[in-house]
Amino acid sequence: MGNPTEYNAHDLSKLKERCDYMTDPSIIRFLKAFKTVDDSFAAILKCNKWRKEYGVEAINPAACPEVQSELNTKKVELLKHRDRHGRPMIMLRVRNHKVAERNTEDLTKCMVYILETACKKCNEDVIDNVCVLFDMRKFSLASMDYEFVKTLIWLLSTRYPERLGVCLVINSPVVFQGCWAIIRPMMSDFTAQKVVFINDEMALANYLCPDALPDNLFEEL
């Protein structure tokens, strides 16, 4: 799947004829991600079918105890502040995740809830994508979950295309380099270009105000 930064106005018009129930920004995101009218329309149909069958609109902590349980671990959190571009920020604290103890379906449902909530905070006329932060302090291989990484990439590329504005990987240790060598081929080149490794507060300040984060990411735990 390609990811051009531009789209053809004629293609947009043709796709709008098929998807007149969708907002222009939503249609444009699919067209940017899937290039052609036919491929974009097919992706929209698949996404709509998935949303209905997965029950996306009904996923919330009150109705789904498993979602609340995942939120309680603080492994994933929608922050109250935005980055310097006005994007909602999603933080994942990798150290709080243990592969041996996780339930992939519960975590996926929680991630869908977080993505839905973050997207609803977007003002699509101004900014329609999000900032994802991976807090890698105290990372160990016990937290390296390739299965969930694949699921997250699938969600962002097929169910929430063009919603990822930037992914900041903060304080990644040397041991993660080997993991990244495995993860990188799972992504398109366009998506991989959105991944930025951050190792000091000055670099982080280019993307957001460090004071907006709930943790001091550059102090040892």
Side-chain angles (χ1 to χ4, degrees):
M1 182 181 69
N3 287 277
T5 56
E6 300 296 334
Y7 58 91
N8 183 284
H10 176 71
D11 288 345
L12 174 60
S13 178
K14 299 298 291 184
L15 190 56
K16 284 174 66 175
E17 291 177 5
R18 301 189 192 183
C19 307
D20 56 2
Y21 56 90
M22 294 175 63
T23 64
D24 283 6
S26 296
I27 296 173
I28 289 169
R29 283 193 296 274
F30 276 90
L31 189 55
K32 282 183 174 181
F34 294 93
K35 294 200 226 184
T36 71
V37 173
D38 287 343
D39 287 348
S40 300
F41 184 60
I44 288 170
L45 293 180
K46 289 179 181 178
C47 183
N48 289 343
K49 183 174 184 289
W50 168 80
R51 290 181 65 88
K52 181 178 180 180
E53 293 179 349
Y54 200 66
V56 171
E57 297 298 330
I59 296 175
N60 62 77
C64 308
E66 63 273 30
V67 171
Q68 185 60 63
S69 179
E70 290 292 336
L71 292 174
N72 289 343
T73 68
K74 296 295 184 180
K75 68 177 66 173
V76 57
E77 179 182 1
L78 178 61
L79 304 181
K80 62 180 180 179
H81 296 291
R82 297 170 182 262
D83 72 3
R84 293 197 182 279
H85 291 277
R87 292 179 287 222
M89 297 192 294
I90 298 171
M91 173 171 278
L92 293 99
R93 298 178 180 87
V94 180
R95 66 181 177 276
N96 291 349
H97 181 68
K98 296 295 181 286
V99 179
E101 302 170 4
R102 65 95 162 91
N103 181 298
T104 303
E105 179 55 33
D106 290 353
L107 182 56
T108 300
K109 188 174 289 187
C110 181
M111 197 68 223
V112 167
Y113 166 72
I114 290 288
L115 286 168
E116 283 289 306
T117 307
C119 290
K120 289 174 182 175
K121 292 182 65 175
C122 292
N123 180 347
E124 294 196 330
D125 293 330
V126 180
I127 192 76
D128 66 351
N129 50 56
V130 303
C131 171
V132 177
L133 305 98
F134 283 87
D135 177 3
M136 301 294 290
R137 287 176 300 168
K138 301 297 183 180
F139 170 84
S140 72
L141 294 179
S143 298
M144 188 60 249
D145 193 340
Y146 293 108
E147 181 180 349
F148 179 68
V149 169
K150 288 180 181 179
T151 298
L152 183 57
I153 293 172
W154 176 79
L155 283 171
L156 290 171
S157 61
T158 67
R159 300 306 181 244
Y160 299 90
E162 296 298 309
R163 283 295 196 180
L164 178 64
V166 66
C167 176
L168 306 180
V169 181
I170 304 171
N171 287 325
S172 64
V174 174
V175 69
F176 183 69
Q177 293 179 2
C179 303
W180 176 244
I182 296 172
I183 295 169
R184 171 59 183 85
M186 300 179 189
M187 303 177 176
S188 68
D189 289 341
F190 185 82
T191 299
Q193 291 171 6
K194 297 180 180 181
V195 179
V196 182
F197 289 84
I198 301 289
N199 291 304
D200 62 70
E201 193 165 331
M202 185 174 295
L204 182 63
N206 291 323
Y207 296 91
L208 53 96
C209 176
D211 291 342
L213 298 181
D215 307 316
N216 189 332
L217 298 181
F218 301 100
E219 283 186 0
E220 285 296 318
L221 295 176

